[in-house]
C-alpha cells in the first residue's frame, strides 16, 4: 500500500510501479537519508513541532535501521519506491505512530536534494583522493627521469627534445586542475536544502540553520524553489569528471603508442597487460584502451544530465530522478579508471634508451641549430632558412645534423663554427631549455618541488 493511498481508488499497476521506482539505484544513499532524517527529527523536537519523546524515538529507531542495514540484518526492500519511502516505512513498522511524524515539514523533493548533495560531497572527496594519489605516482616516476631525453611531438611529428619527466608532469598539471575543480565543486555544493519542503517552504517554525549545522553544511540554500529544482551540482561534478576522464584518456592514448614495438618507450608489467587468444606474441595495453573507451561513457552522462534539465519548469519534476544513474555511473567509472591506471603506471618499465634513440631521429635539434646561428648575430628568419637547407642536404645525403661535416655547414652559412656540434647535442638542447616551465632538468626540479608542496598540502 502506497503512502498516498488515501487519494487513490486502486493500487499502482505493477509494471508501472517498477518503471516509477528508483530504489534499485538510490539505495546507495541510505546513510545520507538516515542522517538527514535524524537531523530533521532532532530539529522538529527542539522546535516543539513534534513531541520531544517522539523525536527521540524517531532518532533511536533510525539509528537502529542504520545499524541493521550496515550489519546486513536488514535488507532494502526491492519493492519499495525509493530509499526515502523505504526508511520511513521501516521506521513506522518499528516504532509505530511516532514514525508517522517524521515527514512533518518535509517533502521528498527537499529530502532527495539533501541526500544527493551529501552523497556527492563524499564521492567527490573520494575521487579527489584518487586523483591526488595518481599525481603522487606521476611525481615519483618523473623524479627518476629528469634526465631521460625523449622526443617531444607536435602533430605527432618529432618536434623538439624534452624529458620523460617533463612530459609526464604535463599530466600532473592537468590532474592538479582536476583536483582544484573537485574542491571548487565541494565548496559550492555545501548548501543545505532541507526545509524547502515540496517547493514553497512551510508554515511550521522550522530551524534550517540548526539542521545545516548538525549535518556539517556551511550554508543553507536561499530560495525554496531553487532548492528542489537545482541539479547544477550534478552537472558541475559531471563536467569535472569528464575532464578527469579526458586527461586519463589522453594519457592512455600515449601509453598505447609508447607500448607499441614502433615506439617501445615503456613496457607494462605483466599484471597490467593482457594477451591475445590467437597471437602468442601479443601483450596488449587493454587497461588504457578501456579507459579511453569509458571516457565516452562519462561524457554521455554529462550530456544526459544537461539534456534532462534544459526544458524543466520549476520546481521538482520526476525527470530529475534520472540524475542519479547518470552521475553515479560517471562516478563509478571515473573511480574505477583512476584505480586501474595508478598501479599500471607505478609498475611500468621505462626504456630511456628507446626514447633517446627516437629523439636522435627526425632532426629534433633543427631549432637549436637555427638558434645557434641567431645567437651569433644572424637574424632568426635567415638562420631558420639556412637550417632548412641543411636539413634538406642531410636528407639527400642520408645523414644527420650531428654527422654533417663542418664544410657543408659553412657552405650554407659562413657563421657556423666547430662549436655548432656542441650546440646541437641532444643533451645540451634539453639542458639549455631552462626557461621557467621548460624541460631542462633544473627547471623540471622547480616544477617538481612546487608539485610536491601542493601534494603535501592536499593529502
Ligand atoms: N525518487 C525521487 C527522485 O529520485 C524522489 C523524489 C520524489 N518526489 C516526488 N514528488 N515524486 O527524484
Amino acid at each position: 500500500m502506497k503512502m498516498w493511498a488515501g487519494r487513490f481508488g486502486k493500487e499502482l499497476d505493477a509494471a508501472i510501479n517498477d518503471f516509477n521506482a528508483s530504489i534499485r539505484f538510490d539505495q546507495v544513499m541510505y546513510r545520507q537519508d538516515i542522517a538527514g532524517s535524524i537531523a530533521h527529527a532532532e530539529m522538529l523536537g527542539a522546535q516543539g513541532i513534534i513531541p520531544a519523546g517522539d523525536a527521540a524515538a524517531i532518532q533511536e529507531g533510525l539509528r537502529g535501521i542504520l545499524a541493521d542495514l550496515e550489519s546486513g540484518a536488514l535488507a532494502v526492500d526491492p519493492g519499495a519506491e525509493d530509499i526515502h519511502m523505504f526508511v520511513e516505512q521501516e521506521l513506522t513498522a518499528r516504532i509505530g505512530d511516532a514514525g508517522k511524524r517524521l515527514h512533518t515539514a518535509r517533502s521528498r523533493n527537499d529530502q532527495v536534494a539533501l541526500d544527493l548533495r551529501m552523497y556527492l560531497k563524499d564521492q567527490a572527496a573520494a575521487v579527489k583522493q584518487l586523483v591526488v594519489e595518481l599525481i603522487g605516482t606521476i611525481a615519483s616516476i618523473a623524479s627518476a627521469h629528469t634526465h631521460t631525453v625523449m622526443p617531444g611531438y607536435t602533430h605527432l611529428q618529432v618536434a623538439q627534445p624534452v624529458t620523460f619527466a617533463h612530459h609526464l608532469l604535463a599530466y600532473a598539471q592537468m590532474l592538479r586542475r582536476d583536483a582544484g575543480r573537485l574542491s571548487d565543486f565541494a565548496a559550492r555544493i555545501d548548501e543545505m536544502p532541507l526545509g524547502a519542503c515540496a517547493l514553497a517552504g512551510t508554515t511550521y517554525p522550522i530551524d534550517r540553520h540548526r539542521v545545516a549545522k548538525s549535518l556539517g553544511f556551511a550554508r543553507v540554500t536561499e530560495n525554496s524553489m531553487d532548492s528542489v529544482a537545482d541539479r547544477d551540482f550534478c552537472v558541475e561534478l559531471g563536467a569535472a569528471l569528464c575532464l578527469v576522464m579526458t586527461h586519463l584518456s589522453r594519457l592512455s592514448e600515449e601509453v598505447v603508442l609508447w607500448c607499441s614495438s614502433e615506439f617501445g618507450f615503456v613496457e607494462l608489467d605483466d599484471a597490467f597487460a593482457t594477451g591475445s587468444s590467437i597471437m602468442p606474441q601479443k601483450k596488449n595495453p587493454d587497461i588504457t584502451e578501456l579507459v579511453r573507451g569509458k571516457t565516452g561513457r562519462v561524457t554521455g552522462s554529462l550530456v544526459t544530465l544537461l539534456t534532462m534539465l534544459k526544458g524543466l519548469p520549476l520546481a521538482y519534476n520526476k525527470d530529475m530522478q534520472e540524475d542519479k544513474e547518470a552521475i553515479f555511473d560517471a562516478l563509478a567509472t571515473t573511480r574505477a579508471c583512476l584505480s586501474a591506471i595508478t598501479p599500471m603506471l607505478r609498475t611500468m618499465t621505462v626504456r630511456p634508451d628507446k626514447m633517446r634513440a627516437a629523439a636522435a631521429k627526425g632532426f629534433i635539434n633543427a631549432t637549436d641549430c637555427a638558434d645557434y646561428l641567431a645567437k651569433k648575430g644572424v637574424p632568426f628568419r635567415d638562420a631558420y632558412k639556412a637550417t632548412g637547407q641543411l636539413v634538406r642536404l642531410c636528407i639527400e645525403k642520408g645523414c644527420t645534423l650531428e654527422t654533417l661535416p663542418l664544410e657543408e655547414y659553412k657552405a650554407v652559412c659562413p657563421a657556423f663554427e666547430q662549436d655548432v656540434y656542441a650546440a646541437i647535442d641532444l643533451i645540451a638542447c634539453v639542458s639549455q631549455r631552462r626557461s621557467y616551465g621548460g624541460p631542462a632538468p633544473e627547471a623540471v626540479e622547480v616544477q617538481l618541488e612546487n608539485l610536491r608542496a601542493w601534494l603535501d598540502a592536499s593529502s
Side-chain angles (χ1 to χ4, degrees):
M1 182 87 84
K2 291 285 181 199
M3 294 249 183
W4 58 69
R7 195 224 173 278
F8 288 79
K10 276 187 184 173
E11 281 280 302
L12 183 62
D13 178 272
I16 296 302
N17 189 49
D18 288 346
F19 180 69
N20 190 50
S22 53
I23 191 74
R24 186 171 47 82
F25 46 85
D26 67 15
Q27 57 180 283
V28 295
M29 304 192 299
Y30 72 89
R31 289 195 188 102
Q32 290 74 16
D33 195 73
I34 292 172
S37 288
I38 291 175
H40 181 62
E42 191 277 332
M43 181 277 290
L44 291 177
Q47 295 293 102
I49 298 171
I50 64 172
D54 285 353
I58 291 171
Q59 291 176 69
E60 210 193 301
L62 288 168
R63 283 192 199 100
I65 293 173
L66 178 62
D68 291 349
L69 283 171
E70 301 281 16
S71 72
L74 173 66
V76 171
D77 171 10
E81 185 182 334
D82 57 27
I83 189 63
H84 326 295
M85 290 296 206
F86 169 73
V87 171
E88 194 184 331
Q89 271 158 3
E90 179 64 25
L91 179 70
T92 303
R94 288 185 180 205
I95 69 167
D97 280 354
K100 296 186 197 162
R101 296 192 197 278
L102 170 61
H103 213 53
T104 312
R106 190 177 73 171
S107 152
R108 272 187 300 160
N109 298 348
D110 56 345
Q111 195 180 351
V112 71
L114 173 71
D115 294 3
L116 195 52
R117 280 178 185 262
M118 294 203 295
Y119 185 77
L120 296 184
K121 229 161 94 165
D122 288 353
Q123 287 285 318
V127 174
K128 188 182 159 192
Q129 193 46 47
L130 291 172
V131 169
V132 168
E133 277 169 34
L134 174 54
I135 297 173
T137 296
I138 290 177
S140 66
I141 302 172
S143 305
H145 289 284
T146 54
H147 289 84
T148 304
V149 174
M150 73 178 279
Y153 300 85
T154 62
H155 314 269
L156 204 55
Q157 304 289 317
V158 168
Q160 291 174 341
V162 295
T163 64
F164 189 51
H166 194 57
H167 192 126
L168 272 187
L169 286 173
Y171 286 98
Q173 297 299 334
M174 297 175 217
L175 291 161
R176 183 173 153 173
R177 291 193 293 277
D178 290 329
R181 265 183 287 274
L182 290 166
S183 302
D184 294 348
F185 162 80
R188 209 160 15 250
I189 200 179
D190 206 4
E191 290 186 353
M192 204 291 296
L194 208 66
C197 302
L199 77 164
T202 180
T203 55
Y204 293 102
I206 58 171
D207 184 348
R208 298 186 60 211
H209 294 90
R210 183 185 183 106
V211 176
K213 201 168 166 215
S214 57
L215 292 174
F217 277 91
R219 302 173 298 282
V220 297
T221 53
E222 292 285 331
N223 178 300
S224 65
M225 294 181 78
D226 178 51
S227 306
V228 291
D230 172 29
R231 291 293 184 275
D232 291 2
F233 52 87
C234 293
V235 172
E236 267 192 78
L237 179 58
L241 297 176
C242 275
L243 273 171
V244 172
M245 288 300 298
T246 299
H247 297 148
L248 297 187
S249 186
R250 294 181 74 173
L251 175 58
S252 293
E253 167 63 14
E254 301 223 65
V255 172
V256 169
L257 286 172
W258 294 343
C259 286
S260 67
S261 52
E262 289 77 3
F263 280 76
F265 291 180
V266 298
E267 186 180 341
L268 297 181
D269 189 85
D270 283 358
F272 292 90
T274 48
S276 156
S277 61
I278 171 171
M279 295 167 282
Q281 85 282 13
K282 291 297 281 291
K283 182 166 174 185
N284 296 328
D286 284 27
I287 296 176
T288 47
E289 294 163 51
L290 266 176
V291 169
R292 205 171 55 186
K294 283 176 189 292
T295 301
R297 181 168 161 165
V298 177
T299 307
S301 294
L302 176 62
V303 175
T304 297
L305 289 164
L306 285 165
T307 312
M308 179 272 285
L309 274 179
K310 74 180 261 296
L312 295 187
L314 296 186
Y316 176 84
N317 300 271
K318 190 76 171 209
D319 315 45
M320 293 162 78
Q321 181 166 287
E322 289 289 308
D323 57 4
K324 282 170 242 20
E325 282 172 293
I327 194 66
F328 292 175
D329 187 74
L331 280 163
T333 305
T334 308
R335 288 180 66 163
C337 291
L338 284 163
S339 301
I341 227 167
T342 301
M344 184 203 76
L345 290 179
R346 194 184 300 128
T347 53
M348 109 194 147
T349 306
V350 181
R351 302 257 183 253
D353 52 326
K354 296 275 190 163
M355 295 182 181
R356 180 72 176 73
K361 295 183 203 148
F363 304 101
I364 199 165
N365 45 6
T367 313
D368 299 272
C369 181
D371 285 341
Y372 164 89
L373 280 185
K375 284 174 190 162
K376 297 232 167 200
V378 180
F380 181 77
R381 270 295 154 241
D382 296 336
Y384 171 95
K385 199 171 160 199
T387 307
Q389 285 170 332
L390 289 170
V391 167
R392 195 165 154 192
L393 196 63
C394 288
I395 293 170
E396 279 164 17
K397 290 180 164 280
C399 67
T400 64
L401 286 172
E402 288 92 327
T403 52
L404 188 72
L406 186 61
E407 308 81 74
E408 306 272 13
Y409 276 95
K410 281 187 173 296
V412 169
C413 176
F416 279 115
E417 311 274 356
Q418 184 62 36
D419 58 354
V420 66
Y421 296 104
I424 61 168
D425 172 73
L426 270 193
I427 304 289
C429 293
V430 176
S431 61
Q432 281 162 19
R433 296 179 179 276
R434 286 188 212 96
S435 50
Y436 193 91
E442 57 203 274
V444 171
E445 282 303 341
V446 173
Q447 209 187 139
L448 265 170
E449 248 167 62
N450 291 338
L451 190 64
R452 284 193 204 105
W454 179 87
L455 276 169
D456 285 346
S458 307
S459 42

